Amino acid sequence: GEDVEQSLFLSVREGDSSVINCTYTDSSSTYLYWYKQEPGAGLQLLTYIFSNMDMKQDQRLTVLLNKKDKHLSLRIADTQTGDSAIYFCAERGNTDKLIFGTGTRLQVFP
Amino acid sequence: DSGVTQTPKHLITATGQRVTLRCSPRSGDLSVYWYQQSLDQGLQFLIQYYNGEERAKGNILERFSAQQFPDLHSELNLSSLELGDSALYFCASSQTDSNGYTFGSGTRLTVV
């Protein structure tokens, strides 16, 4: 079946790194995504990783994929207050639809 | 502006009523997806259309229906509304070879 799980909350100090974790169950996932949702807004695609990669870096964002354990993580370096939001991971299997996790609420405090 | 337009932004209606939510996909995108976001259920996939035809169906209630028109805009119809239908409804679009969806800003439906 398709299921994506995330921890619900993460609180970090400004300037520290944040690591948001996600586990998924569909071994046929082709792409995995990270989306950001700010209050009152839609979901914004942050980054994605193809399933045959194990790492992708994009400025302050680093995505790590452990396909064996079906574990995905998003690391945000030098976290800022503007990074406070809900972060969703999502998997895309062999159909077009994305299955989203429950979202992790990141709170950044000064 | 993501390029995906959803109207209206907010909707308040009474139980038992019917509403229509509208979505215009990003230019060039053939696929439209509808999602429901509620506090206790997270983001739930409802339905996907590709170039006017239904492609995939998720946890969509029988009281809900959707369609995609020749100009590729899509409408989600919600009928016999219940209090539990109160949620954010998102539309997203993608190209066939896209690596992700582009989301609209959503329609917040409140059923009273």
Side-chain angles (χ1 to χ4, degrees):
Chain A
E2 301 163 325
D3 196 16
V4 181
E5 293 190 356
Q6 300 176 238
S7 52
L8 291 179
F9 297 102
L10 177 64
S11 184
V12 300
R13 188 179 299 277
E14 191 174 17
D16 288 352
S17 291
S18 308
V19 179
I20 303 170
N21 294 301
C22 170
T23 58
Y24 60 98
T25 57
D26 187 356
S27 57
S28 68
S29 293
T30 53
Y31 288 93
L32 296 124
Y33 306 84
W34 284 103
Y35 281 82
K36 176 183 180 182
Q37 185 181 29
E38 297 185 71
L43 277 74
Q44 173 196 358
L45 178 63
L46 286 179
T47 187
Y48 65 91
I49 189 167
F50 187 51
S51 58
N52 68 355
M53 299 168 63
D54 50 22
M55 187 181 92
K56 180 177 180 181
Q57 187 152 1
D58 185 0
Q59 300 182 336
R60 291 190 298 123
L61 305 179
T62 303
V63 178
L64 295 178
L65 174 61
N66 181 329
K67 200 171 178 183
K68 173 175 166 290
D69 294 338
K70 300 191 186 68
H71 182 265
L72 182 73
S73 68
L74 173 70
R75 179 176 179 269
I76 306 173
D78 187 25
T79 314
Q80 302 297 307
T81 54
D83 294 324
S84 293
I86 302 176
Y87 290 81
F88 291 91
C89 70
E91 63 169 350
R92 181 178 185 176
N94 50 18
T95 65
D96 281 343
K97 72 177 183 188
L98 296 189
I99 304 298
F100 285 84
T102 51
T104 299
R105 183 178 295 276
L106 173 64
Q107 182 177 23
V108 183
F109 58 93
Chain B
D1 182 8
S2 68
V4 178
T5 304
Q6 288 188 248
T7 56
K9 290 196 184 313
H10 302 276
L11 199 48
I12 302 175
T13 190
T15 54
Q17 295 298 305
R18 172 190 166 95
V19 297
T20 297
L21 312 185
R22 184 188 166 101
C23 169
S24 293
R26 200 176 52 163
S27 177
D29 288 356
L30 299 178
S31 282
V32 168
Y33 310 81
W34 286 97
Y35 281 81
Q36 179 193 56
Q37 185 180 33
S38 56
L39 282 175
D40 57 347
Q41 292 289 322
L43 264 169
Q44 297 291 312
F45 170 71
L46 295 178
I47 198 163
Q48 177 200 357
Y49 280 83
Y50 172 76
N51 203 20
E53 295 196 2
E54 183 183 302
R55 172 71 71 90
K57 221 169 188 176
N59 300 320
I60 187 166
L61 300 172
E62 285 191 11
R63 300 184 285 109
F64 295 1
S65 65
Q67 54 185 326
Q68 186 180 28
F69 295 87
D71 67 352
L72 300 178
H73 91 271
S74 178
E75 292 181 355
L76 179 67
N77 301 296
L78 315 176
S79 61
S80 302
L81 284 167
E82 301 174 1
L83 295 177
D85 297 327
S86 296
L88 264 171
Y89 291 83
F90 285 107
C91 166
S93 70
S94 73
Q95 297 175 354
T96 55
D97 58 352
S98 174
N99 293 330
Y101 298 175
T102 301
F103 277 82
S105 55
T107 293
R108 182 173 292 281
L109 173 66
T110 303
V111 182
V112 298

